[in-house]
Amino acid sequence: MKRLATLGASVIAMQLFGAQQAMAQDAPVQPAEAAGASEGLNEITVTAQRRSEGVQKAALSITAVSGDDILKRSVTQVEQLGSLAPGLQVNTSAGPYASFSVRSVSSLSGNAFADPAVAVNIDGVYLATPTVLHGLYYDLDRVEILKGPQGTLYGRNATAGAINIIPRRPEFRNGGNIYTEIGNLGRFNLGGAVNLAASDTLALRVAGQTVHRSGYFSDGSADDSGQAVRASLLFEPTTDLSILIAGDYSHQGGTGQGATIRKECQYVPGAGTTGACYVADPYTGIADLASQFTSVGEAPPTQDQYIRGNYYGSMLDADYRTPIGTITFIGAYREAHSRYKSTSTSWQLREDQRPKQTSGELRLASNAGSPLQYVLGLYYLDTSIDARAQGETQNRNSFSDSDTHNNGSTWAAFSQLTYSLTDTLRLSGGLRYTSEKKSTDSARYNYANTRGPDPVFPDQPVGTPNIVLKENRSWDHLDWKVGVEFDAAPRSLIYANVSTGFKAGGFYYGPVGANTYEPEYVTSYAVGAKNRFADNRIQLNFEAFYLDYTDQQISFVKLVGPSAVLVTENAGKTHAYGVEADAQFLIGQDTQIGLSGSWVRARYDEFSFNTIAPPSATSLCAVSPASGSFNVDCAGLQPIRTPKFSVTGTFDQGFDVKGGGRIFLDARATYKSRFYTSTDYQIESLTNEFFRADFGIGYEGPGKKYRVRAFVDNAFDQVTISNTTTNTSYGQNHVVGVNLLPPRTFGVQLSTKF
């Protein structure tokens, strides 16, 4: 807390000094500010706090990325969201599962019991399952990334933050756009949208895309293949009533995520005796490294990797403006059917999963202009998931077979109020009561005589299960938030808040008495400042934070009997503190430079687990034998997937040319310090510091009617680890599976509006 106070005092001191400068600059030219409000740095309007406001007016850490930037950065897969903001990491390891990490909080998603720590929402609808995030990143208005606990307004599973994906709404005009992208690795993306105004009160928008990129591993894995379509109908019969109906469908195909193999160098011939080494070229896929398994008598990896996913959704969003505020109802239904076979964890996993969810949210948001601003709401969510999954067990000579059936329901009542004591000073507070129930009727089997690489399994599990999991649990919790906001100058905001977060417990496959985990709780302290100086041409934003976790949920893979099991255990206490900063400079009319970054210092105060397969001698954890198993104590270590430093720099330069067109240059560079990606804390799971840079050059026609851009991403071809998984037979084969970010890619983008 002393460190937070010191960081906060520094932020406020810098803010107050800047505010004096800002008032000295702004005061004499106030009449011109309104006229020139559209000049200078752009400001994206967000709805992160359930009401429309400029991102610089929102008293929380938020990164807002426009739909045009999403398109320029070629975001088509969920893991690419990690490139949008420093301090956010998104990883996939097998099938469609996505794992997020923010400010030292990480959730490893890998089976039907998994819950994320970041709440992902599409058009205001919370996505309850971490396998349904594919095919959403086209025809967007913006993406909002909220960092830190969002317990009062977002509630369920938002202890690390929230991501809001906002599609473009229909407009009352006729028009549209089309874009395409071609490049190396067989890249071909095509998409667009058509907007039709049937009348002054009815508009339709239909958007779609198809994407293709070959895999960058030698076995064809780590590809990108899919199609998606979204249709939305907007009806506004009066100025006070707005009804939006939308439906979407997407298909994911191809090979899916890929991996290579890394070992301690002493086990790689000719590589030396210390450190970690790839056993071949880093982009050699596991399917092409069979000798790493067969040489110790294990089954070779499958050559038949695939992913087949179909995702559906529909929603109704109705807004009615009244004298006391806007009443909003959002009702939605989503389902998916996803199947995959993958060796991207370094052993074979298969799954056939069918999640479904129904949700409803009713809220009242006050009208602008009164001293008291409020958001009041009710929320309900019902979920179910049926999944059948098989996975190679120890020594790759048998398979486990999991038959999982889960149900859950959540309801919540929430509020957030802001009261203006003066024209420049406001107090805020919020409450959210959550009640959550989960149940499971599941079983796990072992097929002792089944050997890879491609066995045929019965339509239904057979034999006697070795684990029966029948559980019913419920939890309830009251989250709260208090804060203060102060306008130090017309474009300068100081804020401070204290808030809590709650994530319910759950289940995993384990013996009776060791198959459940408890909720995690977090209290967050934050002090921040948002500023625009120099006639809206300089932006300086800061936030210092301190996170205090109790019973933080840590998910990882360990051996339970002969089977590799994704378990979730409570780590006791964890704390983290740090600073995030963002600076933007508009130099002249056509030159913009940006620099943003985060510094995070975090520690597991308590975190230990028991396993029958200990990590290697290179582990940073303390390992001790315990009655045929081993205790692994990782207390005092930096949480996994948490680089101490993350920095992103951007550069944009434009040149007007004869005829009304424009030539532009853009560059983006990212640096991250080293971090571990697995709770074994072995040398093979260490991601060394890395630097990746992207460049683009293009031409925009008169009136921005068309645009062409050539690009190269990861221009220096840096090999970058995103995730690692220790093999279930590590004691025999010393294998660690390694997922990598893409190598150098390049291509051309073309787009036009009509």
Side-chain angles (χ1 to χ4, degrees):
M1 287 301 296
K2 289 178 63 179
R3 292 185 177 93
L4 178 70
T6 301
L7 292 170
S10 300
V11 169
I12 292 173
M14 295 174 67
Q15 166 72 14
L16 291 175
F17 174 78
Q20 292 175 354
Q21 301 296 315
M23 286 188 288
Q25 296 170 2
D26 293 340
V29 292
Q30 281 185 353
E33 280 186 2
S38 62
E39 298 177 358
L41 291 165
N42 292 328
E43 182 170 2
I44 297 177
T45 298
V46 298
T47 53
Q49 299 191 97
R50 307 303 197 194
R51 61 173 69 252
S52 294
E53 59 187 340
V55 67
Q56 288 295 107
K57 295 294 185 181
L60 74 163
S61 178
I62 177 172
T63 299
V65 185
S66 71
D68 289 341
D69 280 343
I70 297 292
L71 183 62
K72 183 176 75 174
R73 298 185 199 177
S74 304
V75 174
T76 59
Q77 296 177 302
V78 61
E79 54 264 40
Q80 292 174 279
L81 294 177
S83 68
L84 302 182
L88 169 67
Q89 298 204 145
V90 186
N91 304 301
T92 56
S93 58
Y97 287 99
S99 300
F100 297 86
S101 180
V102 181
R103 291 182 175 178
S104 82
V105 182
S106 181
S107 60
L108 175 60
S109 298
N111 64 22
F113 297 112
D115 278 331
V118 172
V120 180
N121 306 274
I122 175 74
D123 224 357
V125 177
Y126 170 65
L127 303 178
T129 309
T131 57
V132 297
L133 307 181
H134 180 80
L136 305 174
Y137 315 104
Y138 62 99
D139 196 41
L140 298 182
D141 181 77
R142 65 190 182 277
V143 171
E144 304 171 356
I145 300 170
L146 289 63
K147 300 175 187 176
Q150 307 296 322
T152 55
L153 288 181
Y154 291 86
R156 189 180 195 270
N157 298 339
T159 50
I163 297 175
N164 297 328
I165 303 166
I166 315 295
R168 295 187 186 275
R169 293 169 67 93
E171 302 175 53
F172 294 104
R173 63 176 184 84
N174 295 323
N177 65 80
I178 187 170
Y179 64 88
T180 188
E181 182 177 307
I182 56 175
N184 67 327
L185 294 175
R187 181 197 300 252
F188 178 72
N189 297 349
L190 178 66
V194 175
N195 196 99
L196 301 173
S199 68
D200 292 340
T201 61
L202 188 66
L204 172 69
R205 188 176 187 90
V206 179
Q209 71 167 4
T210 179
V211 298
H212 173 80
R213 175 181 50 74
S214 299
Y216 50 82
F217 284 105
S218 63
D219 58 6
S221 59
D223 61 348
D224 186 12
S225 178
Q227 301 80 40
V229 63
R230 180 190 303 123
S232 49
L233 183 70
L234 179 63
F235 180 49
E236 293 186 351
T238 71
T239 57
D240 293 327
L241 179 62
S242 174
I243 300 173
L244 176 68
I245 301 173
D248 62 87
Y249 164 79
S250 65
H251 170 75
Q252 182 179 14
T255 303
Q257 181 60 276
T260 190
I261 293 176
R262 204 178 187 207
K263 293 184 175 182
E264 287 187 56
C265 293
Q266 62 175 315
Y267 300 116
V268 180
T273 58
T274 60
C277 297
Y278 296 99
V279 300
D281 179 273
Y283 297 104
T284 304
I286 282 180
D288 293 335
L289 294 170
S291 64
Q292 298 296 320
F293 304 97
T294 58
S295 63
V296 293
E298 298 177 354
T302 181
Q303 296 282 336
D304 180 31
Q305 300 181 76
Y306 63 83
I307 186 167
R308 304 285 185 271
N310 295 297
Y311 311 92
Y312 313 83
S314 59
M315 61 90 71
L316 167 69
D317 181 349
D319 296 290
Y320 182 59
R321 286 171 285 276
T322 74
I324 62 171
T326 298
I327 300 172
T328 298
F329 174 76
I330 300 177
Y333 173 79
R334 301 196 71 86
E335 70 170 274
H337 182 195
S338 180
R339 296 159 292 159
Y340 72 89
K341 182 196 292 186
S342 174
T343 59
S344 63
T345 56
S346 76
W347 68 89
Q348 186 182 149
L349 291 173
R350 302 179 174 191
E351 187 171 22
D352 188 326
Q353 184 188 105
R354 298 172 185 263
K356 300 178 182 179
Q357 70 171 78
T358 303
S359 63
E361 181 170 326
L362 178 67
R363 65 176 183 263
L364 170 66
S366 60
N367 298 319
S370 63
L372 178 63
Q373 297 290 296
Y374 51 83
V375 176
L376 309 173
L378 297 171
Y379 177 76
Y380 179 77
L381 172 70
D382 183 82
T383 63
S384 67
I385 184 167
D386 298 309
R388 176 98 181 273
Q390 295 90 29
E392 282 181 310
T393 59
Q394 194 174 16
N395 298 326
R396 304 170 69 88
N397 291 322
S398 60
F399 276 80
S400 64
D401 188 6
S402 302
D403 189 29
T404 307
H405 305 278
N406 298 333
N407 290 281
S409 63
T410 303
W411 74 267
F414 61 91
S415 64
Q416 184 159 302
L417 290 76
T418 302
Y419 183 73
S420 298
L421 297 175
T422 70
D423 290 342
T424 59
L425 181 62
R426 297 173 296 280
L427 299 179
S428 62
L431 292 172
R432 186 184 189 100
Y433 175 78
T434 301
S435 176
E436 184 157 355
K437 297 180 180 179
K438 291 183 179 180
S439 64
T440 184
D441 184 1
S442 305
R444 190 178 181 108
Y445 304 75
N446 276 339
Y447 299 147
N449 299 316
T450 303
R451 180 178 171 88
D454 292 297
V456 176
F457 294 98
D459 291 337
Q460 298 294 328
V462 296
T464 302
N466 66 321
I467 294 177
V468 175
L469 185 58
K470 290 188 177 182
E471 295 282 351
N472 291 275
R473 295 288 302 274
S474 61
W475 305 270
D476 56 77
H477 187 67
L478 182 67
D479 282 311
W480 53 267
K481 176 181 179 179
V482 294
V484 60
E485 306 170 18
F486 175 61
D487 296 324
R491 292 196 179 110
S492 292
L493 169 69
I494 299 175
Y495 64 90
N497 59 64
V498 183
S499 60
T500 67
F502 159 77
K503 185 180 176 186
F507 319 116
Y508 62 86
Y509 282 112
V512 176
N515 55 15
T516 65
Y517 56 92
E518 297 305 315
E520 72 175 19
Y521 306 92
V522 60
T523 303
S524 168
Y525 306 84
V527 178
K530 295 186 174 184
N531 310 275
R532 290 284 179 92
F533 303 130
D535 198 23
N536 203 31
R537 293 181 175 274
I538 297 176
Q539 175 177 299
L540 297 174
N541 294 345
F542 310 87
E543 182 170 285
F545 61 88
Y546 180 89
L547 301 174
D548 185 12
Y549 276 89
T550 302
D551 293 330
Q552 184 177 9
Q553 296 170 6
I554 310 296
S555 298
F556 56 98
V557 176
K558 73 175 186 180
L559 288 176
V560 178
S563 302
V565 178
L566 177 64
V567 305
T568 301
E569 298 187 3
N570 298 101
K573 291 186 67 64
T574 305
H575 72 275
Y577 56 88
V579 176
E580 294 182 346
D582 174 68
Q584 301 291 327
F585 305 92
L586 184 62
I587 304 171
Q589 187 64 31
D590 291 309
T591 305
Q592 184 167 333
I593 298 173
L595 184 65
S596 57
S598 65
W599 172 78
V600 179
R601 176 80 169 177
R603 288 291 180 268
Y604 291 131
D605 298 316
E606 302 172 17
F607 176 40
S608 62
F609 58 92
N610 183 269
T611 180
I612 65 172
S616 74
T618 66
S619 175
L620 301 181
C621 304
V623 181
S624 58
S627 301
S629 60
F630 296 85
N631 286 325
V632 182
D633 189 348
C634 303
L637 298 180
Q638 181 101 341
I640 59 173
R641 301 186 185 90
T642 305
K644 184 178 292 186
F645 296 100
S646 299
V647 181
T648 297
T650 59
F651 173 79
D652 293 276
Q653 176 67 60
F655 303 94
D656 292 334
V657 296
K658 187 177 180 180
R662 186 171 181 265
I663 295 174
F664 59 87
L665 307 171
D666 61 82
R668 181 180 181 85
T670 299
Y671 166 82
K672 291 188 178 182
S673 60
R674 71 179 202 163
F675 57 94
Y676 283 87
T677 57
S678 173
T679 53
D680 55 33
Y681 286 92
Q682 295 176 171
I683 189 66
E684 304 98 316
S685 65
L686 175 64
T687 294
N688 291 317
E689 63 180 358
F690 64 84
F691 174 86
R692 294 170 68 94
D694 309 329
F695 301 98
I697 182 172
Y699 174 76
E700 193 171 63
K704 301 182 179 181
K705 290 294 185 181
Y706 63 90
R707 177 187 178 102
V708 58
R709 175 178 177 265
F711 67 90
V712 55
D713 293 340
N714 190 17
F716 304 115
D717 206 19
Q718 293 291 300
V719 177
T720 309
I721 295 173
S722 64
N723 191 54
T724 65
T725 312
T726 302
N727 191 265
T728 55
S729 301
Y730 180 85
Q732 288 73 44
N733 58 31
H734 310 290
V735 165
V736 172
V738 178
N739 311 120
L740 300 175
L741 296 179
R744 180 191 295 121
T745 58
F746 52 85
V748 177
Q749 302 167 332
L750 301 98
S751 62
T752 183
K753 300 178 182 179
F754 55 88

